[in-house]
Amino acid sequence: MRIGVPREIKADEYRVGLTPSAVRELTALGHPVLVERGAGSAVGFDDPAYESAGATMVDSAGDVFADAQLIVKVKEPQPDEYRQLRSDQILFTFLHLAPDPEQAEGLMASGASCIAYETVTDRTGRLPLLTPMSEVAGRLATQAGAHHLELHQGGRGILLGGVPGVSPAGVTIVGGGVVGTQAARMALGLGARVRVLDKSLTRLRELDAAFHGRLVCEYATEDALEQALPRTDLLIGAVLVTGDAAPKLLSREQLGVLPHGAVLVDVAIDQGGCFATSRPTTHRQPTFSVDGVVHYCVANIPSAAARTATLALSHATLPYVQALAQNGLEALKRDPGLGAGLNVHRGQITHEAVARALGKPWVAFDGGPE
């Protein structure tokens, strides 16, 4: 199968769908790989490295979309990209369709089979392709929050870990999954006082054991959230409902009790955001303020560490790319977890949570082409 890797064109996105190492693995199996020139240059993977791995370099994304049968990307296709998709192609990338009906309509109109990294599951029900980016995003969330707490960034002028004689910052993390765990790890490492709220008692027990009691692990009720906010300098939203839009956990009125100059980092923004005042931002203009609270709502946080993120993502996706290249849509029947990644097929929404979020009919995948 011919595999195509276009250069990412979303604002401030520097990751690339496949590394030269992954390309080498695919070409060794006999699959031609087309890579747009410059696709990996921002993260240190230059064109000669891809050529050495066996890739064919092409001059434009149009060349990739015109010839490839399987297109491997990182971020959701932009309008100029999904308009080039065809019904005989497979798209494999992050989609985050729940808050993006325009993209959903574009993918449906293309007729292509679109598989979303964020809804692929493994045998235990976990999300193996979302996990590495959640790890990166969680760590960067704390890093970004610490930076924007600096006075000249609009924050309170607080050092996350304090100094002897001065209390450290209070960090509240809503959601104890992969993002929340990694954000907590970074915040504790910097010396902050860290509280994690989650609705799973099992998960809270796991976190308490993993961090040897250094975290405050609290059940997430409205009261608990409201009581935590006045003591919070950095608030991190880390909730996830697979495929669905993120729930709005706190209203503008509730967020108004955060201290002036506090920082809010909404990692769930690519699924619509989990705070009422959140709206997507970019790395070039990462923040805005509402009621004196600095909001960091970058929709592609891992691109700030694009080389690390590219390597982590490519390692995770490679076995699935190999399966798709070898077996096409038959791979979805052989691996139901990969099948769970199919969001759009033959102009229909094939993931139940995505369909619910978009208000569209859900049509279960029927097993492949006629």
Side-chain angles (χ1 to χ4, degrees):
M1 182 177 284
R2 294 186 304 280
I3 302 165
V5 182
R7 180 175 56 84
E8 296 293 322
I9 60 173
K10 184 181 175 75
D12 303 322
E13 182 53 67
Y14 303 107
R15 289 171 287 180
V16 61
L18 293 172
T19 63
S21 177
V23 169
R24 182 179 178 183
E25 297 292 319
L26 292 163
T27 56
L29 293 173
H31 302 293
V33 181
L34 311 175
V35 179
E36 182 181 356
R37 295 189 188 281
S41 59
V43 290
F45 301 128
D46 58 18
D47 293 349
Y50 282 106
E51 290 176 311
S52 295
T56 299
M57 308 306 296
V58 297
D59 292 330
S60 69
D63 294 328
V64 173
F65 282 92
D67 198 31
Q69 298 164 288
L70 168 61
I71 295 168
V72 181
K73 281 177 40 62
V74 178
K75 289 303 289 179
E76 68 277 3
Q78 304 302 292
D80 285 347
E81 294 175 311
Y82 59 65
R83 292 188 190 111
Q84 298 181 69
L85 287 170
R86 304 187 309 271
S87 60
D88 61 341
Q89 291 177 316
I90 300 171
L91 174 67
F92 195 33
T93 188
F94 285 112
L95 292 177
H96 299 296
L97 290 177
D100 194 350
E102 181 180 346
Q103 184 204 167
E105 292 289 350
L107 295 180
M108 292 167 69
S110 76
S113 300
C114 306
I115 304 170
Y117 293 157
E118 71 271 14
T119 64
V120 172
T121 61
D122 63 16
R123 291 175 181 172
T124 66
R126 295 179 180 173
L127 305 170
L129 305 186
L130 185 60
T131 292
M133 295 303 91
S134 295
E135 291 170 335
V136 174
R139 295 184 180 206
L140 284 172
T142 297
Q143 189 170 301
H147 176 60
H148 288 285
L149 275 172
E150 296 172 8
L151 194 64
H152 67 281
Q153 297 295 330
R156 301 192 70 199
I158 290 180
L159 185 64
L160 209 62
V163 293
V166 179
S167 295
V171 176
T172 297
I173 301 167
V174 187
V178 177
V179 169
T181 300
Q182 297 305 318
R185 187 181 305 280
M186 290 290 284
L188 285 172
L190 291 169
R193 295 178 288 108
V194 184
R195 178 184 307 269
V196 174
L197 295 100
D198 197 280
K199 286 190 174 293
S200 168
L201 289 173
T202 299
R203 184 59 186 151
L204 292 173
R205 291 187 183 102
E206 291 171 349
L207 288 169
D208 182 68
F211 289 98
H212 306 289
R214 295 166 62 208
L215 279 178
V216 175
C217 297
E218 192 166 354
Y219 190 78
T221 63
E222 286 281 320
D223 282 345
L225 284 166
E226 290 179 352
Q227 291 172 21
L229 293 179
R231 297 169 287 162
T232 296
D233 302 297
L234 171 57
L235 174 65
I236 297 176
V239 297
L240 173 69
V241 180
T242 303
D244 208 341
K248 293 293 188 285
L249 301 177
L250 292 168
S251 67
R252 180 171 181 172
E253 181 181 12
Q254 290 171 308
L255 292 167
V257 304
L258 286 165
H260 188 86
V263 174
L264 175 159
V265 178
D266 194 341
V267 185
I269 193 64
D270 52 12
Q271 290 292 117
C274 60
F275 302 121
T277 49
S278 298
R279 57 177 171 80
T281 61
T282 66
H283 286 289
R284 294 185 188 183
Q285 294 183 306
T287 64
F288 60 92
S289 291
V290 177
D291 302 329
V293 175
V294 178
H295 288 55
Y296 180 96
C297 302
V298 175
N300 58 334
I301 290 175
S303 188
R307 183 176 174 89
T308 296
T310 291
L311 288 163
L313 181 61
S314 188
H315 294 159
T317 60
L318 178 58
Y320 295 96
V321 175
Q322 290 172 322
L324 288 166
Q326 291 286 99
N327 303 300
L329 294 178
E330 176 70 21
L332 307 185
K333 292 190 289 183
R334 298 185 180 190
D335 181 353
L338 180 56
L342 188 68
N343 283 200
V344 179
H345 175 63
R346 293 185 191 157
Q348 298 173 315
I349 302 295
T350 52
H351 191 284
E352 187 174 9
V354 172
R356 181 171 59 247
L358 292 169
K360 297 280 189 183
W362 167 52
V363 179
F365 176 56
D366 63 6
E370 296 175 345

